[in-house]
Structure formats: C-alpha cells, structure tokens
C-alpha cells in the first residue's frame, strides 16, 4: 500500500499567494467592471527592456539553425552567463567567486526550497517571523517542523521575531540553529541589514557553526551606502553562507525564469562521523541529478542584463519602482499611518489600524477600494497587524491607490 | 553544527552523463582535430522547427510591451498550453484528462526526480535494471535505498532485471513495491511494452496497491500499432499511474525546457491512519511551493508543437531520427553484432563482444573510432555487456559511424 509523505498534512491549508489569487479572481468575476489595483503579490509589471528582448530574439533565431542550435546545456548554466554574473555581481563588489561556485537556476524560489535537501533531516532551522513562506513550508514538507501549535508556531522551528521594537531586525536565535534563513532586503518587511549588522550575523554563524541561507533576491533595490549587495562583502562569509540571487525582481524575469545560487567551496557541513563535507559538491550533485538547466534563450536574456546598456535600462526600471515605493511610504504616512520598509526594498510594511485582523483588512481594501495587498499574518504570527504593499504597479495606479487611502483616512 | 544529508554519501561517485562528458572533453582537448561522432547522451541535434521559433519570437516581442507583458504565470502552466496538451496528447487518444490534472514543468527529469517527495520515506521502490539513473539516485538521496552491495545493488531497492532472455521486458517485482518506475519506450534498452503487457502492469498495480510512475518521454517515437502512446489508454490506469511526458525528445526542447506530468484526481495513496489522500493535491502543493512555472516564451513554443503545422514538422524530425535508428540497428547487425531497440525508440541497445567491460568499450570506441556511446553498466548491473547508441546525430554522421564499425568488425 503506497503511503504519502505525511509531513504534507502538517502544512497550512494553502499556499498564501495562491489563496489570495483565488480571492481576487472570485471578486473580479463577481465585479467584472472593477479596476483592481494590485499591490499584493511581488510581481513586476514593467515589460522586459530592449536589450533583454533583443537578446532573446537573437537566441531564438540561433535555435532555428543547425549550426547554432543548442540542446542540453550544463546543469549549472552556460559559461557566458556564469562569467557575466561573476563580473556584474561580484568582481564589481571586489568579491572573488569562482565559476564553479555559481549555479544558474530557473528561480530563487526553487533553489531556496530545494537547498534544505542537502542537509540532515534533523537539522534545526531558524526563520524570522514574519517570513517568506517557502523557507518554512519546504522544511515542513521535509519533516523538520514538528506540529503547529495554537499560537501559529511549529514546535521544532526556531522563530526570530521581527517587530517594530527591533526595527524588524531580529536578534540571534534563542537556541542553536543549524540553518538560519535570512532575507535582506527583507520580504515582507522591507527592512535591510546594515553592513555592521550583517557582519554580526556572519560572526555569530562562524562561532556557532551555523549555515546562513542568505536570500538576496532584492539586492538591486538597495539605495543606502551601508547596506551590502552581497553577504560576501563580509570577511569570512564564504565559510558560513549560501547566497541566493534572482533576475526576477532585478530585471523583470518573473515570467521567463532565471536566478542563481552561490555555494562557496570553503563552505562545509559535517557527516555522521564528524568529517567535513563541501556543500558545493552536494549542491552540484543535487542539481545535476534533479535539474536540467535553464532555457538557453533565458540565459542569453540574463547575460544581456549585465551589458552596459542592459544595466542602464535595468537601473531605470528599478528607479521607477523605488519612486513608487517612496509614493506609498509617503502616502501612508500622510494618511496618518505607520509604515516601514520601502527604502532599500520594493516592499512597504504597513501597520494597519489596531483591532483589525490583516486577513480582514485584505477584504476591506479589496471590496471598498479595489486595492489588493498581502495580509501580514500570512507571513507568520508577528505579521498580524501589518499589511504588505509592493511598488510594482504603475506610478499612476500607485498614486491612485494612495489617493483612495488618503481620502478614506480623512473621512 | 550543521550536518549534511548523509544519504548523498551513498551515491555512486558521479552522475553518469556528467562523467562521460568529462571524458569526451578531455579527449577533445588532447586531440583538438578529432571529429568525434556523439551517439552517447540522448540529446537532440535537429534545430527547432519554424513554427516553434516563430512562436518564441512572437512571445519575446509580447514581453517587450506593457500591454502584453507577463510576469509570474500559474505554477501549473498557462491554460493555453494545458489545453493544447489535452487536445494533442489525450483527446486525440480518446482519453479524458482534466486541466487540473496536468502540471507543466521545466523537464521530466525534474518531475521524475521530485515525485518521490510526496511519498512516505519508507516506501519500497522497484526499478528496472538497467534503468535511467535519476529514478534510483533521487531515491538514494531521499534515504530509501539502503547501502550499495558488492554486486552493484542497493539493498532496499527492488530490481527488475531487463535482459535478452525476457526481451528487455522485466517480470513483476519479486516482492511488494509501493512505487514502480516504468519507462516505455525504454531508456536505455529501446524496448516498448505492448498494450497487453502494459495492461498487465496496470492490473498488477491495482491488485497490489502499487503506484506506477510511468515515464513516457519517448512516446512520440512509437511506430508500432500495439504500443500505447499513453498509459491512460489502459482502463483504470488513472487509479494507479502518474504519467511523465516531455517536449525534449518530441520536439527538440532539451535546450529550452518543457515537459508535463499528469496526476489523475482518482489516484490516491494513504496517510498514517489509512485514509486516502489524493496525490493530485499533494503534487499541486509541491509544485506551488517549490516551483514557479515555466518561461512564458517556452510555453508558447510548446503550444506551437500542437498546431497543425507544428505537428507536421515534428513528425518529419522524428522520422529523420527513426531513420537513423534503422541505420544503426541494421548497421550493427550487418557488422555481425546483436542489437535491440530502435523500433519504437531512438535508442539502440548494442550487445558488445563478450569479455569487454562496457566502460572499457567507451574508451575503445572513443580512442580508436572517435565514436561516443553510453556504457550499459552505467544504467545498472544488467547493463554490463551492452552499449547504448542514440539516433540523434545527423544521417551523415550516423552512416559514417556505422561504416567505421563495419570496417573494424570486418578486419
């Protein structure tokens, strides 16, 4: 009798964003004329830039000719893209990363969900609260979570509270964690660790033999000088951290899928006998066995992001989104609300009026103002009382949303 | 102290195809002028057809305009492609599959490696010997294999021998298996189950409450009438089987990545309490949590495969490859060898001269004749004494290889 992986039964009922999408779809169906302003899911709206599309058209043409057709590529990504990443992301920051430390993939969501596979099933896991749900859910599925208690916490997971009181920058885990997930600039709070803060995390991990799984998907949005674009700007970070970066938010690749993960060769964990094992080797084995590389066309598109013209275009788009972030932050404050984030991240963490549950607030915003955001409690118990807005809409729609909110608050 | 998943240490040293690729690279480096004929890895060589490339160029252009840009798509794939798959693969075979039973992905390798996650960690697993290594390796990584014994078998895996004596069509597992991996038309042997044989497998699975994981990646190569293009042509197969299909070999998508997996809603496994749980729901949860959909551009390309013109073009390419298969099969036989497969599959399973190990034969072919194939023993102990050649080269190169082999055998 075939049995299921019963850890799946421990999962909260539905994946957050899928649930919200369903709600919007139902509302849209019932109100076909409603012009919904979507500030919920973290999806980009600006079309791909000229450099990127031109690169894709060229690559598509190459696939039509015998002499330039490409079948299976390296599971780890083509050299042309690996080298572009090294130059564009690391050499430019004076960081030395070798080509075989880079693993090109079809998305950070996939990598960050899959990375736990290479660690022991009994590893202890620390996550922030609130948190991007994939870190938690992938560990629930693997059997590392224990059960959900009535306060909304899984008994074996170590939660690091991210609250107004600590400026949404949590303290170190209350007990030893083998794996620590950190996302900076943060989804959902928009908070970004300063260089000094990140350094203290690296030192903590070194001292405690923890591994930091560093989600850096939003690094292109960093505006402040003292915030690192890569964890490897910190000395010795290569001994403790895996870094995840994505083209999704950097260059609008959510629909064409490309990301990369850095697993430094100096990064080790231990086997049952206490021997050091290089994580780079394990991740390479995982990827070559369970993954078959990213579309050649997408990889050429990603390469174009790092061309001179591509970088210029990408910066313009990010400037546009960050202008929206400023409009939201300013708009909410003018309407009398507390709001955070939005300075080094496209996310604004809105403190909603006391006494309203964040999932109820979703309904209120949708039904009264046709604005969609993401309820904070969907990211964890400490997210209750907050609401995430994203800067990915058009300036016009973003302004319209802020005007609606201002008007409602003034009445 | 962070510990690794020690199951990884049970894995054979390197992934087969990566190892062979390394060997070829080294030979090519040492002999830069050598014109190597690659008949090893199962990769296509014919460029993408006109319908497919045109669809990609159009999709790339859409991504350049605000009004047609697409960000995140549904994790399960766009409706346009799901419907094209239903019409092209299932309605055309009088099979009724619902849209939410189809999961579009970036490759069958990924799906077939990941599917084991939704099953209990103590599930018993049956695989054929020889076998496509991913079925085995993904279960080793998960901890279902036990240790490798000195005969080359993992102690907890149930092996089904696939030999000349049973026409490379193995008997049912010697003891109960929760999960049975079947690949037909088969990689590496090229054997294809007849409808009657496949029916007996479905009946066996129904009776024994086993789940069949049916790898149907090569179904487009089927030439004989009594071989099924889908396992769901067999009554009640939806109660026992997950089917994996790919655009890789069907339409040359190895470089642009698209496949799909069918998880029927009538397919169940059991939880710890003995309750039925729909696998469709679990796989959907797996995919929405750990995957983020396939490139929009690739999905439009896959849709084009099912257009009238696309089907016509694809059939031509397959005809070309199957002509190569016939050349190889005939060539080997003329040279005095035994050879199998090649009738419903692009793979020829070559019985090599007694006393030569298949990995040594790789070196002989490469060094003496600059021909690359895949050593049978890489697919399992029963593969020893065999060598896999593929039909994916040009007709010219295929003929050249056969002439070299004929000449060598005649001396």
């Amino acid at each position: 009798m075939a049995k299921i992986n019963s850890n799946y039964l421990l999962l909260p009922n539905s994946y957050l964003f899928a649930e919200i999408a369903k709600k919007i779809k139902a509302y849209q169906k019932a109100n076909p004329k409603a012009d919904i302003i979507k500030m919920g899911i973290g999806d980009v709206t600006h079309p791909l830039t000229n450099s990127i599309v031109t690169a894709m058209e060229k690559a598509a043409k190459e696939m039509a000719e015998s002499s330039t057709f490409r079948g299976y590529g390296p599971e780890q990504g083509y050299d042309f893209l690996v080298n572009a990443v090294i130059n564009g992301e690391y050499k430019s920051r004076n960081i030395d990363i070798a080509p075989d430390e880079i693993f090109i993939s079809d998305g950070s969501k996939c990598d960050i969900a899959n990375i736990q596979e290479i660690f022991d099933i009994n590893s202890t896991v620390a996550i922030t609260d609130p948190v991007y749900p994939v870190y938690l859910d992938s560990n629930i599925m693997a059997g590392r979570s224990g059960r959900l208690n009535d306060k909304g916490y899984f008994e074996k997971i170590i939660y690091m509270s991210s609250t107004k009181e600590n400026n949404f920058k949590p303290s170190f885990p209350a007990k030893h964690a083998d794996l620590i997930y950190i996302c900076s600039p943060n989804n959902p709070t928009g908070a970004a660790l300063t260089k000094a803060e990140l350094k203290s995390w690296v030192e903590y991990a070194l001292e405690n033999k923890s591994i930091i799984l560093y989600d850096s998907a939003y690094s292109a949005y960093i505006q402040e000088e003292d915030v690192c674009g890569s964890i490897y700007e910190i000395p010795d970070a290569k001994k403790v951290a895996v870094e995840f970066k994505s083209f999704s938010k950097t260059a609008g690749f959510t629909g064409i899928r490309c990301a990369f993960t850095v697993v430094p060769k100096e990064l080790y964990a231990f086997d049952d006998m206490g021997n050091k094992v290089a994580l780079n080797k394990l991740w390479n084995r995982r990827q070559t066995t369970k993954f078959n590389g990213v579309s050649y066309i997408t990889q050429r598109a990603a390469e174009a992001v790092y061309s001179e013209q591509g970088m210029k275009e990408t910066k313009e788009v990010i400037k546009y989104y960050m202008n929206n972030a400023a409009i939201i932050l300013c708009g909410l404050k003018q309407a009398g609300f507390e709001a955070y984030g939005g300075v080094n991240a496209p996310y604004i963490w809105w403190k909603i009026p006391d006494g309203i549950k964040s999932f109820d607030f979703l309904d209120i915003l949708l039904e009264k103002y046709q604005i969609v955001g993401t309820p904070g409690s969907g990211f964890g118990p400490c997210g209750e009382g907050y609401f995430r807005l994203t800067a990915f809409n058009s300036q016009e729609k973003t302004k319209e949303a802020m005007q609606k909110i201002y008007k409602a608050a003034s009445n």
Side-chain angles (χ1 to χ4, degrees), chain A residues 158-382:
Chain A
I158 303 160
Y159 290 85
M160 304 177 289
S161 299
S162 199
T163 62
K164 207 170 85 168
E165 287 67 35
N166 60 24
N167 291 313
F168 305 100
K169 293 173 181 181
S171 314
F172 300 131
K175 50 184 177 178
H176 172 77
D178 297 316
L179 309 177
I180 302 172
Y181 290 85
I182 298 178
C183 177
S184 176
N186 191 262
N187 175 15
T189 68
L193 297 173
T194 63
K195 189 164 185 172
E197 287 161 346
L198 192 55
K199 188 163 177 282
S200 73
W201 275 102
V202 169
E203 285 163 0
Y204 173 87
L206 276 167
E207 203 168 307
N208 290 274
K209 295 197 175 167
S210 303
I211 305 281
I212 294 175
L213 301 168
Y214 191 70
D215 185 348
S216 178
Y218 299 96
S219 62
Y221 292 83
I222 294 170
Q223 309 295 318
E224 293 181 321
E225 278 281 325
D226 66 341
V227 175
C228 295
S230 163
I231 194 168
Y232 304 122
E233 291 178 40
I234 309 294
D236 285 337
K238 283 198 226 169
K239 293 180 184 161
V240 295
V242 175
E243 178 162 277
F244 304 87
K245 278 178 182 278
S246 170
F247 294 91
S248 283
K249 309 301 160 66
T250 305
F253 275 44
T254 54
I256 61 167
R257 318 299 316 137
C258 201
F260 59 92
T261 289
V262 183
V263 188
K265 281 181 282 189
E266 325 165 28
L267 182 61
Y268 294 93
F270 296 86
D271 70 11
D272 293 336
M273 311 291 286
N275 301 310
K276 281 161 79 172
V277 181
L279 293 178
N280 179 281
K281 210 176 130 186
L282 294 191
W283 184 245
N284 187 55
R285 186 60 199 251
R286 196 266 165 212
Q287 291 299 84
T288 51
T289 302
K290 298 190 173 185
F291 181 61
N292 229 341
V294 175
S295 164
Y296 171 65
I297 292 165
T298 297
Q299 290 192 61
R300 282 294 186 199
E303 182 192 25
V305 171
Y306 294 112
S307 67
E308 200 178 324
Q309 180 61 18
M311 302 248 284
K312 212 177 124 191
E313 290 167 357
T314 297
K315 268 185 193 152
E316 292 274 311
V317 177
I318 286 177
K319 199 173 154 193
Y320 180 90
Y321 289 140
M322 288 312 286
N323 189 40
N324 284 346
I327 291 168
I328 298 170
L329 198 60
C330 181
L332 290 177
K333 285 181 178 171
Q334 280 180 345
F337 295 103
E338 288 177 41
Y340 305 91
V343 176
N344 296 299
Y347 295 130
I348 287 85
W349 197 232
W350 179 5
K351 177 92 185 67
I352 57 178
D354 282 343
I356 303 180
K357 295 271 177 194
S358 65
F359 257 99
D360 295 336
F361 198 63
L362 170 73
D363 294 329
I364 296 171
L365 277 193
L366 178 60
E367 279 156 34
K368 287 204 178 157
Y369 311 107
Q370 292 77 53
I371 296 170
V372 176
T374 309
S377 63
F379 298 99
C382 281

Side-chain angles (χ1 to χ4, degrees), chain A residues 47-57 304 309 313:
Chain A
L48 294 177
T49 66
N50 192 260
S51 301
I52 294 166
V53 174
T54 305
M56 290 202 291
E57 286 174 328
Q309 180 61 18
E313 290 167 357

Side-chain angles (χ1 to χ4, degrees), chain A residues 32-138:
Chain A
K33 283 184 184 163
D35 183 17
I36 298 173
I37 305 178
K38 293 181 187 173
M39 303 171 83
I41 197 163
D43 197 0
V44 297
T45 51
H46 199 285
L48 294 177
T49 66
N50 192 260
S51 301
I52 294 166
V53 174
T54 305
M56 290 202 291
E57 286 174 328
K58 184 166 171 270
K61 277 196 175 62
E62 287 177 42
M63 296 298 266
E65 301 295 331
S66 284
S67 58
T68 49
F69 172 78
R70 306 214 186 194
Y72 291 124
E75 286 96 344
Q76 304 87 343
Y78 280 105
D79 286 347
F80 65 75
L81 179 54
V82 168
N83 290 328
V85 163
I86 288 176
N87 287 324
E89 297 286 346
Y90 295 105
K91 277 202 182 145
S92 58
R93 293 185 170 105
N94 289 315
I95 298 166
D96 192 26
I97 296 286
D100 56 358
E101 295 178 313
I102 306 259
F103 296 86
I104 306 294
S105 83
D106 66 329
S108 279
K109 180 182 172 185
C110 315
D111 289 352
I112 218 152
N114 292 330
I115 194 80
Q116 46 77 31
E117 286 181 28
I118 66 171
F119 295 100
D120 189 75
I121 200 67
N122 295 311
S123 305
T124 48
V125 172
I127 58 172
T128 60
D129 168 24
V131 74
Y132 175 52
V134 171
Y135 315 152
L136 176 61
D137 289 358
S138 58

